[in-house]
Amino acid sequence: MVLHSTVWKGIGIFIGVLVLLLSTLASVILGYTDVNFSDVYEAFFHFNQSNKHIIITDVRFPRAIIAACVGASLAMAGVLMQALTRNALASPGIFGVNAGASFLVVLAIA
């Protein structure tokens, strides 16, 4: 049986969201301080001002959310470049992003 393309797209989106959630959870759990899943759960639902809970809520979780937002922003920028140029292989060099960044680096150094 051949599945319709919208079914495959739905499966792909589901797998992508699942990978995003698992990698965000891994980003919060893994680090220099030993933290497990129950510590993360307790930090959000039974906060007790311990060092682990403060590390989770003030450092690791915001860092994971910011990383996900930056990745989504870069993905949207790439899609916009591809849509505006109607070129599936569009790169930042087409719009002069690399040249503008180099100019600002030289200007800042000077």
Side-chain angles (χ1 to χ4, degrees):
M1 181 170 115
V2 177
L3 292 176
H4 200 267
S5 67
T6 56
V7 173
W8 284 113
K9 289 178 186 176
I11 292 171
I13 289 174
F14 176 76
I15 291 172
V17 169
L18 186 66
V19 167
L20 174 68
L21 292 174
L22 290 175
S23 62
T24 302
L25 182 64
S27 174
V28 173
I29 290 174
L30 300 174
Y32 185 73
T33 304
D34 291 333
V35 175
N36 54 26
F37 182 74
S38 65
D39 291 330
V40 174
Y41 178 80
E42 289 176 5
F44 288 110
F45 295 109
H46 304 291
F47 189 76
N48 64 6
Q49 298 285 331
S50 69
N51 284 339
K52 284 185 180 182
H53 290 186
I54 292 171
I55 289 170
I56 291 168
T57 57
D58 290 348
V59 178
R60 291 188 183 180
F61 187 68
R63 180 184 60 198
I65 296 300
I66 289 171
C69 290
V70 167
S73 298
L74 289 171
M76 287 189 289
V79 167
L80 282 173
M81 273 194 255
Q82 290 176 350
L84 289 173
T85 60
R86 294 187 184 139
N87 180 0
L89 300 175
S91 69
I94 291 174
F95 287 129
V97 173
N98 295 340
S102 299
F103 173 71
L104 286 177
V105 167
V106 169
L107 190 66
I109 291 173

